[in-house]
Amino acid sequence: MAFKLAQNFSIWLILVLCTFACASNAASRAFDIPSATKKFEEWMSRHGRDYKDVAEKAKRLKIFSENLRFIEEFNGAANRTYKVGLNKFSDLTNEEFVAAYTGYKLPSSSTRRNSSQVNSFKYQGSDSIPESVDWVKKGAVNPIKNQERCGSCWSFSVVAAVEAITQITSGVLPNLSEQQLIDCATNGNQGCRGGWMDNGFEYIINNHGINSESNYPYVGVDGTCNMQASSVAKAKISDYRDVSPNEDDMLKAVVMQPVSVALDSSGAAFQNYAGGVFIGPCGTNLNHAVTVVGYGTDTDGTKYWLIRNSWDVSWGESGYMRIQRDSGVEGGLCGIASKVSYPIA
C-alpha cells in the first residue's frame, strides 16, 4: 500500500512539475525542480505539514515551487532593502494566505463612534520627537503571539496596545486575552471573520476591563462569551483616540505609546517577508491589523516603522516587520497611517 501511494505521488509529481516548468517564462533563469522538491520535503518536516492525499500534496508542491521561484528571483535582484524567504505560509497562494490570516474589517457607520474623536488625539501638540523609539526594548511589549487560521488580527492589535499603555502607566506588563474580544466584543465585530480595533477598545471600556490570557486562553475559533471570565479585569482603559490619517501625527502618538493600525498585507512580498525595511509593493486595501511599537532609521538612511505582527516568530524578523516611513505615499506605505488609534489608561 505504501509503495502504491509513493508510486502515485511520483506520477502526480512528474505531471505537476512538468506542467509548472513548461508554463514558466522562457526568459527566466532555469529553475531547479529536484532542488525545489527536496526543499519542499524539508519544509514539510520543519513545519509539521501533512496532507490528506496525494493530489493535495501535489497541489501544495506546485504552490510551494511557485513561491520558492518568487523568493529566489526577488532576492537575486540588486538594490533590495529587504529579503523574502520561506515560512509557514509557503504552501499557500496569496489569495489563500490573505483569506486565512488577515481580518481587519471596518464596520458599518452605525457601529462607529462619532467622527469628532478624529484629530483630537492626546499628543497632537507634542514637539519633542526623538530620532527613534522602541517600545519592545522599553519592556512595554509581550513576546510575539500567533493568531493561527483565524481573522482575529484586530484583537491582537487591540490587546498589544492595551498591554503597552498598562505597562507604561503602571510599570506592570500584563498578558491579556484576545479570545475574550473574539467571543465578547461582537458589537460590529465578527470574531475570526474580522473586526475593527476601535470596537475592541469600546468593549473594554464598557466592560470595565479585560481579563488575562491565562484566565481566558486563546483557542483561535469563535466561541460563546464566558460571562464569568469576562467579568474579571486584569487591565482597564478609560478611553481611546483616533489619529488623523498622516504619518506626522502618527509619529507623535508612537513617541508616547504603541498604536493600533490597519494596513494592506496583500501580495507575495508581504506574505514572504523575511527581514529588512519593506518598501512595497503594496496597495491601500486595508485588510490586516497590527501594532506599531516603534520607529527608526536603517543604516542606509531608510526611515521605518516597527510593527508587531500576530503570525508567530517564523514570519519576518522574528515576528516583527520594519516598513518604510515617510514614503511620500498619502496615508503611509500600505495605508499604515490611514486608520490609527490608541487606548488611554
Side-chain angles (χ1 to χ4, degrees), residues 32-306:
D32 190 342
I33 292 174
S35 176
T37 306
K38 182 175 184 293
K39 288 178 180 178
F40 180 61
E41 295 290 346
E42 293 170 348
W43 176 89
M44 284 181 59
S45 176
R46 185 182 316 117
H47 292 277
R49 202 67 105 242
D50 194 13
Y51 301 104
K52 62 182 181 180
D53 54 34
V54 170
E56 180 66 19
K57 185 175 181 180
K59 174 184 174 182
R60 294 300 156 188
L61 171 59
K62 180 177 183 295
I63 294 168
F64 177 90
S65 299
E66 290 167 346
N67 284 327
L68 181 61
R69 177 191 289 274
F70 167 79
I71 288 165
E72 293 185 351
E73 291 181 351
F74 184 96
N75 289 340
N79 301 319
R80 299 291 195 190
T81 61
Y82 67 99
K83 296 289 186 182
V84 293
L86 296 174
N87 57 37
K88 67 178 183 178
F89 306 129
S90 297
D91 67 340
L92 300 176
T93 66
N94 190 243
E95 292 76 16
E96 290 173 328
F97 159 73
V98 170
Y101 291 97
T102 61
Y104 170 80
K105 289 184 180 178
L106 189 65
S108 64
S109 58
S110 63
T111 58
R112 301 184 210 172
R113 190 164 68 166
N114 190 296
S115 61
S116 64
Q117 292 295 335
V118 178
N119 301 330
S120 63
F121 70 99
K122 188 177 177 182
Y123 307 120
Q124 197 163 13
S126 176
D127 295 321
S128 178
I129 307 295
E131 291 185 2
S132 66
V133 166
D134 189 333
W135 288 107
V136 181
K137 292 181 179 178
K138 288 174 178 284
V141 181
N142 274 311
I144 293 293
K145 298 182 181 182
N146 183 7
Q147 71 183 72
E148 302 175 358
R149 295 181 72 93
C150 167
S152 56
C153 55
W154 61 273
S155 68
F156 285 83
S157 177
V158 168
V159 161
V162 173
E163 289 171 343
I165 194 59
T166 302
Q167 192 281 330
I168 291 167
T169 56
S170 72
V172 177
L173 177 62
N175 187 10
L176 302 176
S177 174
E178 293 84 8
Q179 191 65 43
Q180 182 177 343
L181 295 181
I182 292 170
D183 294 347
C184 308
T186 54
N187 181 26
N189 287 347
Q190 302 175 52
C192 283
R193 291 175 294 150
W196 186 37
M197 291 79 80
D198 283 12
N199 282 349
F201 293 136
E202 286 271 14
Y203 165 79
I204 296 172
I205 295 165
N206 295 334
N207 191 60
H208 306 293
I210 182 171
N211 208 336
S212 66
E213 169 74 20
S214 59
N215 289 339
Y216 204 140
Y218 189 73
V219 295
V221 296
D222 293 324
T224 302
C225 184
N226 184 328
M227 301 305 293
Q228 182 176 355
S230 64
S231 67
V232 178
K234 295 298 183 180
K236 297 182 179 181
I237 58 174
S238 63
D239 205 352
Y240 68 94
R241 289 289 185 273
D242 296 326
V243 180
S244 52
N246 66 79
E247 291 188 271
D248 289 341
D249 285 345
M250 179 174 160
L251 184 69
K252 294 173 184 177
V254 178
V255 168
M256 305 305 295
Q257 67 185 92
V259 301
S260 292
V261 305
L263 46 66
D264 184 349
S265 65
S266 304
F270 205 106
Q271 176 180 346
N272 296 292
Y273 168 78
V277 180
F278 183 82
I279 60 171
C282 56
T284 56
N285 178 31
L286 307 180
N287 60 13
H288 186 51
V290 295
T291 313
V292 173
V293 295
Y295 63 87
T297 305
D298 198 22
T299 53
D300 66 357
T302 306
K303 296 180 180 180
Y304 65 83
W305 298 107
L306 177 63

Side-chain angles (χ1 to χ4, degrees), residues 8-41:
N8 287 342
F9 178 66
S10 297
I11 295 170
W12 270 95
L13 180 62
I14 292 168
L15 292 173
V16 168
L17 291 181
C18 284
T19 301
F20 175 67
C22 292
S24 300
N25 190 326
S28 64
R29 64 181 179 78
F31 189 69
D32 190 342
I33 292 174
S35 176
T37 306
K38 182 175 184 293
K39 288 178 180 178
F40 180 61
E41 295 290 346

